[in-house]
Amino acid sequence: VPIPSGGTVIEYDVDKGYFFGGHGNFNGTTAAVYYEIPLAPLQSIAQLRHANAASIGSVPYVTYSVGESRAHPAIPADKAVSTGANAQVLFDHSWLANDRLWDRYWFSTLATLEGKAYSGSSAASLSNLAKGFFSGDRPLPNARNVPRLPAGKPPAEVAAEAIDPLGARSAAYIMTAGGFNVNSTSVAAWTSILSGLSDSDVPLANGKDDKVDGGAPFLRTRRPLVGSTGSIDRQRLWTGYRSLDNGEIRKLAQNIVNEVRTRGPFLSMSDFVNRRLGAPGDLTESGAIQAAIDKAGINGLMLANANTISPSDVGKFGWENPQAVTGNTGAGGPGEISQGDILSAIGSFATVRSDTFKIRAYGDAKSPGGGIVARAWCEAVVQRVPAYVDGADKPEATATATANINFGRQFQIISFRWLSPEEI
């Protein structure tokens, strides 16, 4: 509702009030961009945080759920579901959504490419995109996803099965190249992954491109309203996006590695994304990446443009987990990088294990006297594929055959070669 001219109770700008970072001109702003309506196929599960998946009828109201990991202040740190006042059942939407989604679903980006985001040669119907992709003529929006054609099946047949509306099973015919194992404790590897978008052009809502020089953008929305927040510009903190320079990326990478060493190894992606459930402490406040972000101190820009929330400020509200409320009033704004921003960038190829292995073996032959008369070394590249060990179960179905229940998916030898002693 517009604020009438002449009001003196609160500060205002013409007919707009100040909100978000604060309620005045000093640290507030009159507009913010929080959500996006997708114009292109989603690539990372973290992009689902823009869906209204955390509705609740009481405070605190949750803005983002999927991909984020901060603890819920109204729920004890050791629980994801709790009964509050008046027997109201409360849910830690982030924890529960991450637990259900990250290891069960995946975005192929095999979708209709039509509308505002695609035109001319980039546009394609679902059928034409599938035919072109499986025949090797064009990539998917997520270029890391590559076709896998089972022996004896022509591309046209695979394309039809992959998009069949009565049993779409694209995951049976698509594999992700260059997956990154989040259990990595290599600072260099994390730095490389986080730098993947360095110096990229960022398309803005007005149709122009914003150039990021010497840094990597981490977008809250795929088409921000304004350019990067490279300096203290309060309006850009709430309507633009953040980028990190090389030094900030390396600092974040080091802190992520520290968290992986403390919390890992992670046995599932939801285990990596979510906070721990347990006694209040560092591990139960947030997930690994969010903890690393907080400890790296890369969000100082927002801290200077918002109000600090201390334990004493929330001590009288009766929160079950008051530590989850402390921080600043700018938390979650587009100008403050969150775990969801990082996972939006890397979530489409992040994993907790590899499906491709290089195996080397050695054997020798001995004489009756025990002496070695011959030696041999070999190397095989073995890959786990979507097909089950027993073909009685289709790749997209739940295993029912005994062999599949016990052993799961097939491992296939992709390559094999003998090695010389000099290669060992």
Side-chain angles (χ1 to χ4, degrees):
V1 177
I3 299 173
S5 178
T8 58
V9 178
I10 59 176
E11 289 186 60
Y12 64 94
D13 179 14
V14 188
D15 61 350
K16 300 176 182 178
Y18 291 98
F19 197 62
F20 309 108
H23 293 288
N25 180 58
F26 179 70
N27 51 25
T29 186
T30 58
V33 177
Y34 265 84
Y35 302 106
E36 73 173 354
I37 298 175
L39 298 176
L42 302 184
Q43 297 192 20
S44 169
I45 293 293
Q47 289 177 264
L48 290 175
R49 60 192 170 141
H50 293 287
N52 184 19
S55 297
I56 187 172
S58 62
V59 294
Y61 302 109
V62 179
T63 302
Y64 301 119
S65 55
V66 184
E68 302 293 354
S69 64
R70 291 195 184 279
H72 195 300
I75 299 175
D78 62 345
K79 293 181 172 62
V81 180
S82 179
T83 301
N86 302 319
Q88 180 185 22
V89 179
L90 302 174
F91 301 94
D92 184 335
H93 289 282
S94 291
W95 197 97
L96 295 169
N98 292 331
D99 183 59
R100 298 300 298 176
L101 293 173
W102 279 96
D103 298 289
R104 293 174 173 85
Y105 298 92
W106 157 85
F107 288 120
S108 69
T109 66
L110 181 59
T112 301
L113 304 184
E114 296 173 341
K116 292 183 178 180
Y118 297 93
S119 60
S121 61
S122 67
S125 66
L126 175 59
S127 176
N128 287 338
L129 177 62
K131 291 176 182 177
F133 171 67
F134 286 108
S135 64
D137 293 332
R138 68 174 296 169
L140 295 178
N142 181 357
R144 286 179 179 264
N145 289 345
V146 296
R148 175 185 176 271
L149 302 178
K153 273 199 173 186
E157 182 180 343
V158 173
E161 288 189 11
I163 62 174
D164 181 358
L166 298 180
R169 44 186 181 272
S170 59
Y173 303 118
I174 298 177
M175 300 185 76
T176 301
F180 178 69
N181 192 330
V182 297
N183 283 302
S184 171
T185 54
S186 167
V187 174
W190 274 104
T191 299
S192 176
I193 291 299
L194 296 173
S195 302
L197 294 175
S198 290
D199 300 322
S200 298
D201 290 338
V202 175
L204 301 180
N206 61 9
K208 298 180 180 180
D209 287 341
D210 190 48
K211 179 70 174 178
V212 180
D213 294 321
F218 291 93
L219 308 178
R220 184 63 50 86
T221 59
R222 285 299 189 263
R223 291 181 178 270
L225 189 61
V226 298
S228 172
T229 302
S231 59
I232 298 179
D233 183 331
R234 191 177 310 121
Q235 193 63 42
R236 286 175 178 263
L237 283 170
W238 294 94
T239 56
Y241 67 93
R242 278 289 305 282
S243 61
L244 297 179
D245 62 32
N246 295 335
E248 291 172 320
I249 287 176
R250 183 166 181 81
K251 184 182 295 184
L252 176 57
Q254 179 64 69
N255 279 275
I256 290 177
V257 167
N258 293 344
E259 294 301 318
V260 172
R261 292 186 184 279
T262 300
R263 302 168 184 241
F266 302 100
L267 303 183
S268 67
M269 277 300 296
S270 61
D271 185 29
F272 172 70
V273 174
N274 271 331
R275 66 183 180 90
R276 294 284 191 267
L277 300 181
D282 287 347
L283 301 186
T284 60
E285 286 183 17
S286 62
I289 290 183
Q290 187 61 57
I293 290 171
D294 295 340
K295 292 174 182 177
I298 58 177
N299 282 323
L301 207 59
M302 180 61 84
L303 292 175
N305 285 272
N307 292 323
T308 300
I309 304 173
S310 66
S312 61
D313 293 328
V314 297
K316 298 180 181 179
F317 288 92
W319 295 118
E320 291 284 350
N321 187 9
Q323 185 60 33
V325 190
T326 59
N328 74 90
T329 56
E336 180 177 287
I337 288 182
S338 74
Q339 175 174 286
D341 297 326
I342 303 297
L343 290 173
S344 285
I346 71 171
S348 63
F349 58 92
T351 181
V352 292
R353 63 163 200 276
S354 175
D355 283 321
T356 306
F357 307 89
K358 181 183 289 184
I359 301 173
R360 287 185 168 184
Y362 162 80
D364 57 40
K366 295 182 179 180
S367 66
I372 297 176
V373 296
R375 289 189 176 97
W377 298 265
C378 65
E379 175 185 280
V381 175
V382 181
Q383 189 174 73
R384 189 172 81 151
V385 298
Y388 281 111
V389 170
D390 185 339
D393 293 323
K394 293 183 178 180
E396 69 274 13
T398 301
T400 57
T402 301
N404 298 335
I405 294 173
N406 291 334
F407 301 106
R409 312 286 175 170
Q410 290 182 19
F411 281 89
Q412 297 182 353
I413 297 176
I414 305 302
S415 66
F416 177 89
R417 69 188 183 105
W418 296 105
L419 303 174
S420 65
E422 291 75 21
E423 294 179 277
I424 305 302

